Amino acid sequence: MLRLLSVGLFVLAWQAASWRVGGQLLPAPATVLGAVVAEARSGALFLHLGATLARVALSFALAMTLGTAIGYVMGRRRTVDRLADPWLLILLNLPALVVIVLAYVWAGLTEAAAIGAIAINKLPNAVVTVREGARALDPTLDEMASVFAVPAWRRLRHVVVPQLAPYLAASARSGLSLVWKIVLVAELLGRPNGVGFEIGAAFQLFDITRILAYALSFSVVVLSIELLLVQPLERYASRWRQRAA
Amino acid sequence: MRPAGVSALLEVDIERKAWAASAGDRLQVLENVRFTLRHGEVGVFFGPSGCGKTTMLRIIAGLDPDYTGRVVRPPHARIGMVFQEPRLLPWRSVDDNVRFVAPDITEERLSALFAILQLDRHRTHFPGELSLGLARRVAIARAFAVEPDILILDEPLVSLDARLSAHIRDELAALVDSRPVTTLLVTHSLDEAVRLGDRIFLMSARPGRIVSETFIPKPRAARDASDVAAIKRRVEHEAERQGSVAT
Ligand SMILES: Nc1ncnc2c1ncn2[C@@H]1O[C@H](COP(=O)(O)OP(=O)(O)OP(=O)(O)O)[C@@H](O)[C@H]1O
Ligand SMILES: [Mg+2]
């Protein structure tokens, strides 16, 4: 209810601002919605949204998988942690733009370069979070499992993963929002489709309506994924906590 | 039930065990702890708090390689252990906590175990919903579920009320007698020691050594109240003689 009110207020404010500065600079909500519908009719909207989503999914999966594996090993093995830590620091502080540009320079304006660059931007973030989780693993449960000679994969599944779950969720969340932001830049700079590409093209023509139409559609998709996928998953992973409390 | 096939000895010879203390010092915890248990024997360890009993059990369980000496377990011996704390997986139900270590256990055996330990009503509960006494019983169920060759029990019956603790104690005795398993039991209760043990090892204050050993030839099931009282007196007398305050 409150959320709906807040959305309504946002639309009202938008409309008011549009009247104030003029439709040229800030098109009214109805105009933008019209553009969204037009783009959807032509099919272009879904094509570009689809291309962007596919890149998000691939680079996110890549970064999470690699980041979880590296973070876990770094959290459990001191020597690996010492060795890899400086690299991690460099990666953490490397601007996204630099990574993307270098990837395009070295690997060409290819899909692999784009996805790789986005993944590398998210990777250190996942590593740091999962490493924190691996350091916090309860050693007494580890001992219990080892006395009872529980095989490695069962331990991983029933002892390690449940303890890492909150860290994985946190890293997925912050990672997803990071990937959302970076994917558009990568598309703008070197892809022939996707929301970022479209916004770039509209920018060249100073077509603010189209920029807003794509930005809005994209935000709606991101929000839906957050509300319908990420949050329920988080609740599922921590259900035993609620019962135990 | 799986027959306990392994019938070799458990040989323990811990010459020295020290923990790293503050400022680079070493805290000497165990010294010349030497004993051998035959297959199916129950050894009870009785000693003052902090004398190194838990430390010793961890070494015997193979959890701590940092000591001088040697522990020889029968080859392929399966270990069941009740730690001093329950150590349950908080995100798994009581049922799944037991199945975690014994995935092949039959429903029949599982419900029998839960019935003995009076846990039937709690099978779907999560550890956070259990009292400490209940959680300890789940840990006992888990240790027996694996049909161990070596059973290691670190004060398994504390935080149970007197009646329940007596009940579980007798059930433990019955379980051990129904399928002989080499058992190491740490307890602060002389009563428990005398009713469950074949041999009672008295330990000194830190650094822990074994100062005396009392052998009880009469089978557990045959010991009556007067036997128990007599053995208790013997152990108490021994404890006084050694100047060890065991309880
Ligand atoms: N991980 C550790 N690091 C350093 N010192 C330890 C460690 N674990 C135990 N100690 C020390 O070793 C000594 C023996 O501890 P231990 O837990 O074995 O005693 P215990 O006989 O089991 O006592 P209780 O009857 O109270 O359980 C104690 O002084 C304790 O402080
Ligand atoms: Mg102890």
Side-chain angles (χ1 to χ4, degrees), chain B residues 126-140:
Chain B
F126 283 84
E129 300 170 300
L130 304 176
S131 69
L132 186 56
L134 282 166
R136 281 189 189 287
R137 272 136 72 193
V138 178
I140 296 174

mmCIF file with all atom_site columns, all heavy atoms in Angstrom, chain B residues 126-140:
data_model
loop_
_atom_site.group_PDB
_atom_site.id
_atom_site.type_symbol
_atom_site.label_atom_id
_atom_site.label_alt_id
_atom_site.label_comp_id
_atom_site.label_asym_id
_atom_site.label_entity_id
_atom_site.label_seq_id
_atom_site.pdbx_PDB_ins_code
_atom_site.Cartn_x
_atom_site.Cartn_y
_atom_site.Cartn_z
_atom_site.occupancy
_atom_site.B_iso_or_equiv
_atom_site.pdbx_formal_charge
_atom_site.auth_seq_id
_atom_site.auth_comp_id
_atom_site.auth_asym_id
_atom_site.auth_atom_id
_atom_site.pdbx_PDB_model_num
ATOM 1   N N   . PHE B 1 126 ? 13.766 -27.984 14.702 1.00 0.00 ? 126 PHE B N   1
ATOM 2   C CA  . PHE B 1 126 ? 15.125 -27.532 14.410 1.00 0.00 ? 126 PHE B CA  1
ATOM 3   C C   . PHE B 1 126 ? 15.866 -27.342 15.742 1.00 0.00 ? 126 PHE B C   1
ATOM 4   O O   . PHE B 1 126 ? 15.239 -27.092 16.774 1.00 0.00 ? 126 PHE B O   1
ATOM 5   C CB  . PHE B 1 126 ? 15.086 -26.214 13.625 1.00 0.00 ? 126 PHE B CB  1
ATOM 6   C CG  . PHE B 1 126 ? 14.737 -26.412 12.176 1.00 0.00 ? 126 PHE B CG  1
ATOM 7   C CD1 . PHE B 1 126 ? 13.417 -26.506 11.762 1.00 0.00 ? 126 PHE B CD1 1
ATOM 8   C CD2 . PHE B 1 126 ? 15.744 -26.532 11.230 1.00 0.00 ? 126 PHE B CD2 1
ATOM 9   C CE1 . PHE B 1 126 ? 13.105 -26.704 10.427 1.00 0.00 ? 126 PHE B CE1 1
ATOM 10  C CE2 . PHE B 1 126 ? 15.442 -26.728 9.897  1.00 0.00 ? 126 PHE B CE2 1
ATOM 11  C CZ  . PHE B 1 126 ? 14.122 -26.822 9.493  1.00 0.00 ? 126 PHE B CZ  1
ATOM 12  N N   . PRO B 1 127 ? 17.202 -27.472 15.725 1.00 0.00 ? 127 PRO B N   1
ATOM 13  C CA  . PRO B 1 127 ? 17.958 -27.368 16.974 1.00 0.00 ? 127 PRO B CA  1
ATOM 14  C C   . PRO B 1 127 ? 17.658 -26.111 17.783 1.00 0.00 ? 127 PRO B C   1
ATOM 15  O O   . PRO B 1 127 ? 17.630 -26.160 19.012 1.00 0.00 ? 127 PRO B O   1
ATOM 16  C CB  . PRO B 1 127 ? 19.413 -27.394 16.497 1.00 0.00 ? 127 PRO B CB  1
ATOM 17  C CG  . PRO B 1 127 ? 19.368 -28.228 15.271 1.00 0.00 ? 127 PRO B CG  1
ATOM 18  C CD  . PRO B 1 127 ? 18.047 -27.888 14.608 1.00 0.00 ? 127 PRO B CD  1
ATOM 19  N N   . GLY B 1 128 ? 17.400 -24.996 17.106 1.00 0.00 ? 128 GLY B N   1
ATOM 20  C CA  . GLY B 1 128 ? 17.086 -23.770 17.824 1.00 0.00 ? 128 GLY B CA  1
ATOM 21  C C   . GLY B 1 128 ? 15.811 -23.864 18.641 1.00 0.00 ? 128 GLY B C   1
ATOM 22  O O   . GLY B 1 128 ? 15.568 -23.038 19.517 1.00 0.00 ? 128 GLY B O   1
ATOM 23  N N   . GLU B 1 129 ? 14.993 -24.864 18.348 1.00 0.00 ? 129 GLU B N   1
ATOM 24  C CA  . GLU B 1 129 ? 13.741 -25.028 19.080 1.00 0.00 ? 129 GLU B CA  1
ATOM 25  C C   . GLU B 1 129 ? 13.875 -26.013 20.245 1.00 0.00 ? 129 GLU B C   1
ATOM 26  O O   . GLU B 1 129 ? 12.899 -26.313 20.915 1.00 0.00 ? 129 GLU B O   1
ATOM 27  C CB  . GLU B 1 129 ? 12.655 -25.542 18.129 1.00 0.00 ? 129 GLU B CB  1
ATOM 28  C CG  . GLU B 1 129 ? 12.380 -24.617 16.968 1.00 0.00 ? 129 GLU B CG  1
ATOM 29  C CD  . GLU B 1 129 ? 11.476 -25.246 15.923 1.00 0.00 ? 129 GLU B CD  1
ATOM 30  O OE1 . GLU B 1 129 ? 11.849 -26.295 15.359 1.00 0.00 ? 129 GLU B OE1 1
ATOM 31  O OE2 . GLU B 1 129 ? 10.410 -24.685 15.667 1.00 0.00 ? 129 GLU B OE2 1
ATOM 32  N N   . LEU B 1 130 ? 15.087 -26.553 20.428 1.00 0.00 ? 130 LEU B N   1
ATOM 33  C CA  . LEU B 1 130 ? 15.278 -27.574 21.464 1.00 0.00 ? 130 LEU B CA  1
ATOM 34  C C   . LEU B 1 130 ? 15.910 -26.987 22.713 1.00 0.00 ? 130 LEU B C   1
ATOM 35  O O   . LEU B 1 130 ? 16.694 -26.050 22.650 1.00 0.00 ? 130 LEU B O   1
ATOM 36  C CB  . LEU B 1 130 ? 16.197 -28.684 20.934 1.00 0.00 ? 130 LEU B CB  1
ATOM 37  C CG  . LEU B 1 130 ? 15.799 -29.403 19.653 1.00 0.00 ? 130 LEU B CG  1
ATOM 38  C CD1 . LEU B 1 130 ? 16.882 -30.392 19.266 1.00 0.00 ? 130 LEU B CD1 1
ATOM 39  C CD2 . LEU B 1 130 ? 14.461 -30.096 19.823 1.00 0.00 ? 130 LEU B CD2 1
ATOM 40  N N   . SER B 1 131 ? 15.577 -27.586 23.854 1.00 0.00 ? 131 SER B N   1
ATOM 41  C CA  . SER B 1 131 ? 16.314 -27.257 25.074 1.00 0.00 ? 131 SER B CA  1
ATOM 42  C C   . SER B 1 131 ? 17.684 -27.925 24.979 1.00 0.00 ? 131 SER B C   1
ATOM 43  O O   . SER B 1 131 ? 17.901 -28.815 24.150 1.00 0.00 ? 131 SER B O   1
ATOM 44  C CB  . SER B 1 131 ? 15.574 -27.790 26.289 1.00 0.00 ? 131 SER B CB  1
ATOM 45  O OG  . SER B 1 131 ? 15.635 -29.203 26.301 1.00 0.00 ? 131 SER B OG  1
ATOM 46  N N   . LEU B 1 132 ? 18.597 -27.501 25.829 1.00 0.00 ? 132 LEU B N   1
ATOM 47  C CA  . LEU B 1 132 ? 19.942 -28.078 25.797 1.00 0.00 ? 132 LEU B CA  1
ATOM 48  C C   . LEU B 1 132 ? 19.898 -29.580 26.047 1.00 0.00 ? 132 LEU B C   1
ATOM 49  O O   . LEU B 1 132 ? 20.606 -30.362 25.392 1.00 0.00 ? 132 LEU B O   1
ATOM 50  C CB  . LEU B 1 132 ? 20.829 -27.376 26.825 1.00 0.00 ? 132 LEU B CB  1
ATOM 51  C CG  . LEU B 1 132 ? 22.302 -27.777 26.819 1.00 0.00 ? 132 LEU B CG  1
ATOM 52  C CD1 . LEU B 1 132 ? 22.912 -27.587 25.447 1.00 0.00 ? 132 LEU B CD1 1
ATOM 53  C CD2 . LEU B 1 132 ? 23.073 -26.987 27.860 1.00 0.00 ? 132 LEU B CD2 1
ATOM 54  N N   . GLY B 1 133 ? 19.048 -29.985 26.980 1.00 0.00 ? 133 GLY B N   1
ATOM 55  C CA  . GLY B 1 133 ? 18.937 -31.417 27.283 1.00 0.00 ? 133 GLY B CA  1
ATOM 56  C C   . GLY B 1 133 ? 18.463 -32.214 26.080 1.00 0.00 ? 133 GLY B C   1
ATOM 57  O O   . GLY B 1 133 ? 18.990 -33.302 25.794 1.00 0.00 ? 133 GLY B O   1
ATOM 58  N N   . LEU B 1 134 ? 17.494 -31.677 25.351 1.00 0.00 ? 134 LEU B N   1
ATOM 59  C CA  . LEU B 1 134 ? 17.012 -32.342 24.138 1.00 0.00 ? 134 LEU B CA  1
ATOM 60  C C   . LEU B 1 134 ? 18.118 -32.406 23.095 1.00 0.00 ? 134 LEU B C   1
ATOM 61  O O   . LEU B 1 134 ? 18.348 -33.444 22.458 1.00 0.00 ? 134 LEU B O   1
ATOM 62  C CB  . LEU B 1 134 ? 15.813 -31.590 23.560 1.00 0.00 ? 134 LEU B CB  1
ATOM 63  C CG  . LEU B 1 134 ? 14.466 -31.818 24.247 1.00 0.00 ? 134 LEU B CG  1
ATOM 64  C CD1 . LEU B 1 134 ? 13.465 -30.764 23.796 1.00 0.00 ? 134 LEU B CD1 1
ATOM 65  C CD2 . LEU B 1 134 ? 13.953 -33.207 23.922 1.00 0.00 ? 134 LEU B CD2 1
ATOM 66  N N   . ALA B 1 135 ? 18.820 -31.287 22.922 1.00 0.00 ? 135 ALA B N   1
ATOM 67  C CA  . ALA B 1 135 ? 19.883 -31.239 21.914 1.00 0.00 ? 135 ALA B CA  1
ATOM 68  C C   . ALA B 1 135 ? 20.962 -32.282 22.229 1.00 0.00 ? 135 ALA B C   1
ATOM 69  O O   . ALA B 1 135 ? 21.484 -32.948 21.334 1.00 0.00 ? 135 ALA B O   1
ATOM 70  C CB  . ALA B 1 135 ? 20.480 -29.840 21.861 1.00 0.00 ? 135 ALA B CB  1
ATOM 71  N N   . ARG B 1 136 ? 21.268 -32.442 23.509 1.00 0.00 ? 136 ARG B N   1
ATOM 72  C CA  . ARG B 1 136 ? 22.260 -33.448 23.896 1.00 0.00 ? 136 ARG B CA  1
ATOM 73  C C   . ARG B 1 136 ? 21.810 -34.845 23.540 1.00 0.00 ? 136 ARG B C   1
ATOM 74  O O   . ARG B 1 136 ? 22.597 -35.690 23.110 1.00 0.00 ? 136 ARG B O   1
ATOM 75  C CB  . ARG B 1 136 ? 22.505 -33.390 25.396 1.00 0.00 ? 136 ARG B CB  1
ATOM 76  C CG  . ARG B 1 136 ? 23.414 -32.281 25.790 1.00 0.00 ? 136 ARG B CG  1
ATOM 77  C CD  . ARG B 1 136 ? 23.785 -32.428 27.247 1.00 0.00 ? 136 ARG B CD  1
ATOM 78  N NE  . ARG B 1 136 ? 24.486 -31.247 27.673 1.00 0.00 ? 136 ARG B NE  1
ATOM 79  C CZ  . ARG B 1 136 ? 25.723 -30.970 27.313 1.00 0.00 ? 136 ARG B CZ  1
ATOM 80  N NH1 . ARG B 1 136 ? 26.391 -31.824 26.552 1.00 0.00 ? 136 ARG B NH1 1
ATOM 81  N NH2 . ARG B 1 136 ? 26.299 -29.867 27.686 1.00 0.00 ? 136 ARG B NH2 1
ATOM 82  N N   . ARG B 1 137 ? 20.509 -35.100 23.726 1.00 0.00 ? 137 ARG B N   1
ATOM 83  C CA  . ARG B 1 137 ? 19.996 -36.432 23.380 1.00 0.00 ? 137 ARG B CA  1
ATOM 84  C C   . ARG B 1 137 ? 20.058 -36.663 21.869 1.00 0.00 ? 137 ARG B C   1
ATOM 85  O O   . ARG B 1 137 ? 20.309 -37.781 21.431 1.00 0.00 ? 137 ARG B O   1
ATOM 86  C CB  . ARG B 1 137 ? 18.567 -36.594 23.892 1.00 0.00 ? 137 ARG B CB  1
ATOM 87  C CG  . ARG B 1 137 ? 18.550 -37.109 25.328 1.00 0.00 ? 137 ARG B CG  1
ATOM 88  C CD  . ARG B 1 137 ? 17.559 -36.368 26.150 1.00 0.00 ? 137 ARG B CD  1
ATOM 89  N NE  . ARG B 1 137 ? 16.183 -36.714 25.823 1.00 0.00 ? 137 ARG B NE  1
ATOM 90  C CZ  . ARG B 1 137 ? 15.137 -36.017 26.245 1.00 0.00 ? 137 ARG B CZ  1
ATOM 91  N NH1 . ARG B 1 137 ? 15.309 -34.946 26.983 1.00 0.00 ? 137 ARG B NH1 1
ATOM 92  N NH2 . ARG B 1 137 ? 13.922 -36.399 25.907 1.00 0.00 ? 137 ARG B NH2 1
ATOM 93  N N   . VAL B 1 138 ? 19.823 -35.606 21.104 1.00 0.00 ? 138 VAL B N   1
ATOM 94  C CA  . VAL B 1 138 ? 19.960 -35.757 19.647 1.00 0.00 ? 138 VAL B CA  1
ATOM 95  C C   . VAL B 1 138 ? 21.405 -36.120 19.305 1.00 0.00 ? 138 VAL B C   1
ATOM 96  O O   . VAL B 1 138 ? 21.673 -36.984 18.464 1.00 0.00 ? 138 VAL B O   1
ATOM 97  C CB  . VAL B 1 138 ? 19.546 -34.460 18.906 1.00 0.00 ? 138 VAL B CB  1
ATOM 98  C CG1 . VAL B 1 138 ? 19.749 -34.624 17.402 1.00 0.00 ? 138 VAL B CG1 1
ATOM 99  C CG2 . VAL B 1 138 ? 18.109 -34.102 19.213 1.00 0.00 ? 138 VAL B CG2 1
ATOM 100 N N   . ALA B 1 139 ? 22.344 -35.473 20.015 1.00 0.00 ? 139 ALA B N   1
ATOM 101 C CA  . ALA B 1 139 ? 23.756 -35.778 19.767 1.00 0.00 ? 139 ALA B CA  1
ATOM 102 C C   . ALA B 1 139 ? 24.056 -37.234 20.123 1.00 0.00 ? 139 ALA B C   1
ATOM 103 O O   . ALA B 1 139 ? 24.861 -37.891 19.451 1.00 0.00 ? 139 ALA B O   1
ATOM 104 C CB  . ALA B 1 139 ? 24.634 -34.822 20.569 1.00 0.00 ? 139 ALA B CB  1
ATOM 105 N N   . ILE B 1 140 ? 23.415 -37.743 21.168 1.00 0.00 ? 140 ILE B N   1
ATOM 106 C CA  . ILE B 1 140 ? 23.619 -39.154 21.534 1.00 0.00 ? 140 ILE B CA  1
ATOM 107 C C   . ILE B 1 140 ? 23.039 -40.061 20.445 1.00 0.00 ? 140 ILE B C   1
ATOM 108 O O   . ILE B 1 140 ? 23.672 -41.028 20.017 1.00 0.00 ? 140 ILE B O   1
ATOM 109 C CB  . ILE B 1 140 ? 22.970 -39.465 22.906 1.00 0.00 ? 140 ILE B CB  1
ATOM 110 C CG1 . ILE B 1 140 ? 23.662 -38.671 24.015 1.00 0.00 ? 140 ILE B CG1 1
ATOM 111 C CG2 . ILE B 1 140 ? 23.037 -40.958 23.206 1.00 0.00 ? 140 ILE B CG2 1
ATOM 112 C CD1 . ILE B 1 140 ? 22.999 -38.795 25.378 1.00 0.00 ? 140 ILE B CD1 1
#
